[in-house]
Structure formats: C-alpha cells, structure tokens
Amino acid sequence: MSEKTEQNEQLLELPVMYFNGFQLGLSNADVNGILLLNNQPSAAISMSYTTAKTLAEALNQMVDTLEKVTGREIMTTKQVAEGLENLNATKGKNDGQPH
C-alpha cells in the first residue's frame, strides 16, 4: 500500500460527535468552548479568533440558506426556552398530558 493511500485512510477515521448545547469563553489568544450533550460536557474545543469568526460566518450562511429555501426561520435554543417558559407560566406545570 502506498504512503498516500495510508494517509487517506487515516483521514476516514475521524471521530463523529453530536452536541445539542455549548458554552463559550475567551482567552487572550483563542475562543474556547465546551460542547454539551444533554447538558453534560462531551468535548472541549479551542480555536483562534480568525477561525472562530470564519466558522461563525460559514454557519450563519448555511442556516440563512436553509431558512430561505424552506421559508422557515430556525429558532435558537434561547427562543425555544423562552417559549417553554411562557407556556408553563400560562398553562401551569406541563404534566405530559393534553389539556
């Protein structure tokens, strides 16, 4: 097997991670984050400010495109949480039963 083929096969062994929350912080040189899965830390990330800004722009562009082609605005987790708070405040505790 050639060296180039072995290098290509190594790239295919990347870990796949899913997360549904995050916490971000700043240092004097980098953006740091903790990826959360169901409110539990699952991975830590660090990146330069330049990479963070480029990633933010790319993610915004992807979501904007999705919203345009579907005609639907994607809610943020903050918006969902606020909506659930409003629901619970107006209907009382959600016991999982239809009202």
Side-chain angles (χ1 to χ4, degrees):
M1 191 177 288
S2 74
E3 185 176 323
K4 188 171 185 172
T5 303
E6 288 178 20
Q7 288 175 346
N8 287 340
E9 287 179 5
Q10 289 177 359
L11 293 176
L12 298 177
E13 296 178 15
L14 294 174
V16 175
M17 300 188 73
Y18 173 80
F19 64 100
N20 55 14
F22 59 90
Q23 296 175 344
L24 297 175
L26 300 172
S27 72
N28 63 347
D30 294 310
V31 173
N32 304 294
I34 297 173
L35 306 181
L36 305 171
L37 180 58
N38 299 327
N39 235 14
Q40 297 297 314
S42 62
I45 58 172
S46 294
M47 66 190 91
S48 69
Y49 292 122
T50 301
T51 300
K53 184 167 184 174
T54 305
L55 176 61
E57 287 178 353
L59 290 170
N60 280 330
Q61 184 178 24
M62 289 179 77
V63 173
D64 287 346
T65 299
L66 177 63
E67 289 176 335
K68 285 176 187 169
V69 300
T70 62
R72 307 252 184 221
E73 183 176 338
I74 306 296
M75 290 188 291
T76 65
T77 53
K78 184 178 179 180
Q79 290 170 322
V80 171
E82 289 170 355
L84 292 174
E85 286 176 16
N86 291 338
L87 177 66
N88 286 331
T90 59
K91 289 194 171 190
K93 278 249 187 237
N94 183 357
D95 59 6
Q97 301 298 317
H99 294 272

